[in-house]
Amino acid sequence: MSFRKRNAVISSSSSSQSASPRTENAPIPGVRPSPLDGRPTTSTGTASLDNLLAGHAGLPLGNSLLIGEHGTTDFAGVLLRYYAAEGMVQGHQIHVLGLHEGWRHELPGLSTEDKKSSSKSEAPSDDKMKIAWRYESLASGGAPRDRSAVQRQSSSTTGTTSIFSHSFDLTKRLSPTDVKGQMGFHPSMSIPGVPLPKGTLSPLKQFVKEVAYKLANSPPSWIHRVIVPSLLSPTGYSSSSVRPEEVLQFLHALRGLLREYPTRLTAIITLPLSLYPRTTGLTRWMELLSDGVFELIPLQSSAVHAPPPSSKSDSKSEEQTQGLVKVHSLPVFHEKGGGSSEAYAAHGDLSFSLSRSKGFVIKPFYLPPVGEGEEEKKKSESSKGSMEF
């Protein structure tokens, strides 16, 4: 009696089926799993902001951030530029509400250090290949291998590795050769003086409808980023959008899209807190409809603090504290919770600084030692007095 398996059909379809999962599991540029629970995350373009996002080392897909800012400064707008530039370099689809098309030319360019690090990351792989060339025949049982095949394999492996977060230089502009993604602009208000016909959607609802259409008609491997700058600002939004039922429905619909596409969409929204403070009910509801809430408090020019004397940097002027950062909520770890800002209270107060070389950096806030400023003033006055005749 034979034990041969019957009714077994051998065809080429099995090989094609086995090869299809490999293409589906191909890594997506700019996306990596979270070290906490493995959910896909993407970079905001600011490394220090990625480190604050509840241990995910990035913004988890399917989540949104609400960044409020006091005063008339535009530090939150700088974060949006980094967020958009990171998406353009990674090849993501970016949807911008309420800005002109010339904004794409204001995105910061890649820094020279980032380009040097990418070239250095490819160099060690070639060195290892050259050093291990004499031992390559041992893996194949003593049979020699083709050197050109090895070089093609090493080039393919180096090409698949991508940088998760890039560093940008504010003094440069993003080069067209570095752009891999697409950016679309959507109006935030209708033409003034022209009444809308009946049945037409408001600009906020129309924006959500167009983003949903592009998500439904794009490949699953495409990552989308939504940018909403200065929400409810009178310079960019109509008076009808300020109504609570209008803006809350917009945020609720955007949150629905984030939950419907949890592996393809992220959003960052900025809000002028000078016009809509956190004490109002509308702002509190907007914070509840967002996954992460940050508050930027810029300091006055006379209150800018220098870094502590333990700093190893030579240019201390670039590391001056320009404002404070408050974390009100963070994206949760998982369904059981764990993303509240109370767990990060032990880190103390946070501050931020903006410089050309290091960009937007969030760091712990330190006050200078007592009497340090007085000693510097006395030294400067003594040097000036010695020069007088």
Side-chain angles (χ1 to χ4, degrees), residues 220-241:
S221 60
W222 285 17
I223 305 299
H224 298 256
R225 299 187 177 209
V226 171
I227 296 177
V228 183
S230 300
L231 183 60
L232 303 185
S233 175
T235 59
Y237 299 87
S238 59
S239 58
S240 60
S241 302

Side-chain angles (χ1 to χ4, degrees), residues 190 196 202-204 232 237-247:
S190 57
L196 294 175
S202 63
L204 296 180
L232 303 185
Y237 299 87
S238 59
S239 58
S240 60
S241 302
V242 185
R243 295 180 298 176
E245 59 270 15
E246 183 72 20
V247 63

Side-chain angles (χ1 to χ4, degrees), residues 219-289:
S221 60
W222 285 17
I223 305 299
H224 298 256
R225 299 187 177 209
V226 171
I227 296 177
V228 183
S230 300
L231 183 60
L232 303 185
S233 175
T235 59
Y237 299 87
S238 59
S239 58
S240 60
S241 302
V242 185
R243 295 180 298 176
E245 59 270 15
E246 183 72 20
V247 63
L248 293 181
Q249 287 180 7
F250 165 70
L251 292 177
H252 194 275
L254 183 59
R255 188 182 181 91
L257 284 180
L258 291 168
R259 298 301 183 263
E260 184 179 357
Y261 301 94
T263 59
R264 299 175 57 191
L265 180 63
T266 57
I268 294 184
I269 307 168
T270 60
L271 178 69
L273 293 179
S274 300
L275 301 177
Y276 303 94
R278 299 188 67 248
T279 55
T280 59
L282 177 60
T283 304
R284 298 294 292 175
W285 271 107
M286 294 171 65
E287 293 180 355
L288 291 176
L289 292 174

